[in-house]
Amino acid sequence: MWGRDTTLHHMTFATICLDHGLVTRGYYGNVRPGLCGFGQRLLELRVMPFPANRLRRLRRTEALRALVRETRLTPESLVYPLFICPGTGIRKEVRSMPGVFNLSVDEAVKEVRETRALGVLSIILFGLPEKKDEVATGAWAEGGIVQRAARAIKSEVRDVVLMGDVCLCEYMSHGHCGIVRVQETVKDKAKERVKERVKEKAGPQSLGAAAAAAPPATAEYEIVNDATLELLARTSVSLARSGVDIIAPSDMMDGRVAAIRGALDQAGFENTPILSYAAKFSSGFYGPFREAADSAPQFGDRRSYQMDPANIREAMREIELDIEEGADMIMVKPAMPYLDVIAAARDRFDLPLAAYQVSGEYAMIEAAARNQWIDRERVMMESLLCIRRAGASMILTYYAKEAAKLLA
């Protein structure tokens, strides 16, 4: 097979750098060791073309395909988001997310018990408080909705891994992820307009209101970064005290990981890890979530703190800074539209990498399936597999429970 050079123009080869694992392809002669431009040793292997090579041989049966499958999904790699609301016996479906519910604490305990029995180890909690204010009291109060849920869940399902989302938007009367300060240079009339928009808030928004394009950001206000860090740190400590295993800040304030790490350590929670939403983009795919969590901003938008969807190099800087500040795990959000960011993060960083298949991704699959345009189960599993293949160690997905049933 490794014969004369006269027939080698019909064959391809793979060039393997023995020292660094680099591979190139092209046309060449006999197999031989050599040197690449940097002096590393090379081994050139000829790859036989068709008909000697028939890649379909390994696709003939499901058993063969499973044997050589490069990427695998497991229930353990999935994280199930839950929305916790006040009350008892409440299981209210989110209109824009069929199959996703706002759950009271008692119903959340049942849901976690069922999900854990399917092999899903991890849950992430989001809260809908009884009331909101301008300092997000419901986020860090010891009797907050997520704190109560965490204690109840841990008392019933002790071996589940509980993640606590740390953001303030659900708890702020204005719906932003930090403290809002009206610019001093703005006229009194403009200040009143901002206040009126906040006062107009009355109960959960409809999908149309939550998903509609927000008014353009103006100079009427700013989200104060450093003052917000104190509230984020206080929230993180409160969640850890209630039994949350992993703190997951999603606010996108600069310096939040360092502030949270310092507060956790000072409170005696030095072993509580941080999963940072390190590359969270300002995305149109969040609309249904804002209905589910009642967290749409009442004025402006979040582009001054969440990332520009155009920037992948900036995403790498965000991740690197969070790692330097003490993040134990990192996340990219959304997932499917940002597979290139997930892949780049996986290539560059060795930490566990999460990806969030967000509400808009879920809602699109559900809408297409209800119109019988796609095979729902197939697309659901394919979407998760692609996120995993891009490099995600774990996937936050509203399909966690259903996917686990199919993987059983």
Side-chain angles (χ1 to χ4, degrees):
M1 182 173 68
W2 307 107
R4 299 182 179 180
D5 289 349
T6 55
T7 62
L8 293 176
H9 63 282
H10 298 296
M11 302 178 182
T12 60
F13 76 91
T15 302
I16 305 172
C17 178
L18 300 181
D19 294 291
H20 290 280
L22 304 177
V23 177
T24 60
R25 295 184 66 103
Y27 289 92
Y28 204 76
N30 287 332
V31 179
R32 67 175 187 177
L35 292 176
C36 68
F38 297 99
Q40 287 86 21
R41 293 170 294 147
L42 297 180
L43 180 64
E44 292 163 353
L45 302 175
R46 294 185 305 181
V47 179
M48 302 298 289
F50 177 86
N53 268 329
R54 292 179 181 267
L55 297 184
R56 289 182 57 190
R57 289 180 187 131
L58 299 180
R59 302 174 192 155
R60 287 173 43 248
T61 67
E62 175 55 30
L64 278 172
R65 292 191 294 272
L67 179 66
V68 299
R69 191 159 290 141
E70 299 174 23
T71 305
R72 300 179 189 275
L73 283 172
T74 64
E76 293 86 358
S77 65
L78 305 177
V79 180
Y80 193 28
L82 294 182
F83 298 99
I84 314 300
C85 66
T88 303
I90 295 175
R91 189 179 181 86
K92 179 184 176 184
E93 189 170 43
V94 179
R95 186 167 61 88
S96 56
M97 300 174 69
V100 175
F101 300 85
N102 289 340
L103 302 171
S104 55
V105 171
D106 57 318
E107 290 293 323
V109 171
K110 296 176 187 176
E111 190 75 6
V112 172
R113 188 183 294 116
E114 292 174 9
T115 304
R116 181 64 186 86
L118 293 169
V120 177
L121 304 178
S122 306
I123 307 291
I124 186 165
L125 300 178
F126 300 90
L128 286 80
E130 289 90 344
K131 60 182 181 179
K132 307 185 181 203
D133 56 34
E134 295 187 1
V135 291
T137 303
W140 45 264
E142 293 304 313
I145 187 68
V146 170
Q147 286 83 348
R148 298 201 305 270
R151 287 191 288 267
I153 290 169
K154 278 296 188 178
S155 68
E156 296 288 334
V157 193
R158 300 186 64 85
D159 60 346
V160 72
V161 176
L162 271 189
M163 300 181 181
D165 177 82
V166 176
C167 196
L168 307 178
C169 56
E170 302 104 307
Y171 307 93
M172 289 286 200
S173 54
H174 46 67
H176 277 285
C177 303
I179 293 174
V180 170
R181 180 171 65 202
V182 177
Q183 298 280 15
E184 295 178 0
T185 57
V186 178
K187 295 179 181 179
D188 292 340
K189 190 173 182 179
K191 293 181 182 179
E192 288 303 317
R193 285 203 305 271
V194 173
K195 293 178 181 178
E196 286 171 7
R197 289 172 190 163
V198 174
K199 289 179 181 178
E200 288 171 1
K201 181 85 171 70
Q205 289 191 323
S206 66
L207 172 62
T218 70
E220 295 176 353
Y221 67 93
E222 68 170 322
I223 310 303
V224 185
N225 191 96
D226 293 7
T228 299
L229 299 182
E230 180 183 349
L231 296 183
L232 296 171
R234 188 184 303 179
T235 300
S236 300
V237 172
S238 176
L239 291 175
R241 283 178 177 150
S242 69
V244 167
D245 300 294
I246 297 173
I247 300 300
S250 62
D251 55 284
M252 290 302 288
M253 297 296 117
D254 291 336
R256 79 281 181 59
V257 173
I260 291 170
R261 182 74 273 159
L264 288 172
D265 291 354
Q266 187 174 6
F269 296 105
E270 60 274 359
N271 290 324
T272 298
I274 295 173
L275 166 59
S276 170
Y277 288 65
K280 180 179 178 180
F281 291 85
S282 181
S283 173
F285 285 89
Y286 301 150
F289 175 95
R290 291 173 182 174
E291 180 190 6
D294 189 23
S295 62
Q298 298 306 295
F299 50 86
D301 56 39
R302 295 176 176 147
R303 294 182 220 187
S304 70
Y305 43 102
Q306 294 179 359
M307 283 192 58
D308 187 331
N311 297 352
I312 189 170
R313 292 190 295 273
E314 184 187 11
M316 298 303 105
R317 291 186 62 199
E318 285 279 9
I319 293 171
E320 188 171 12
L321 287 171
D322 281 5
I323 293 172
E324 289 177 356
E325 291 180 18
D328 302 283
M329 298 173 279
I330 53 178
M331 187 193 301
V332 174
K333 178 183 179 184
M336 280 287 284
Y338 295 85
L339 293 180
D340 59 327
V341 181
I342 297 170
R346 178 72 293 153
D347 287 343
R348 186 163 175 175
F349 304 105
D350 292 330
L351 274 69
L353 172 61
Y356 200 142
Q357 185 184 49
V358 300
S359 59
E361 299 173 61
Y362 175 91
M364 288 193 302
I365 293 174
E366 291 299 305
R370 290 194 171 209
N371 281 283
Q372 299 183 340
W373 296 335
I374 59 172
D375 180 328
R376 180 177 177 275
E377 286 187 357
R378 182 176 179 180
V379 172
M380 171 182 72
M381 299 304 287
E382 183 179 342
S383 67
L384 295 172
L385 187 68
C386 291
I387 297 167
R388 182 85 159 149
R389 189 192 63 225
S393 313
M394 65 197 85
I395 305 170
L396 286 73
T397 175
Y398 304 99
Y399 286 125
K401 190 175 178 181
E402 288 191 71
K405 292 177 182 178
L406 294 175
L407 292 169

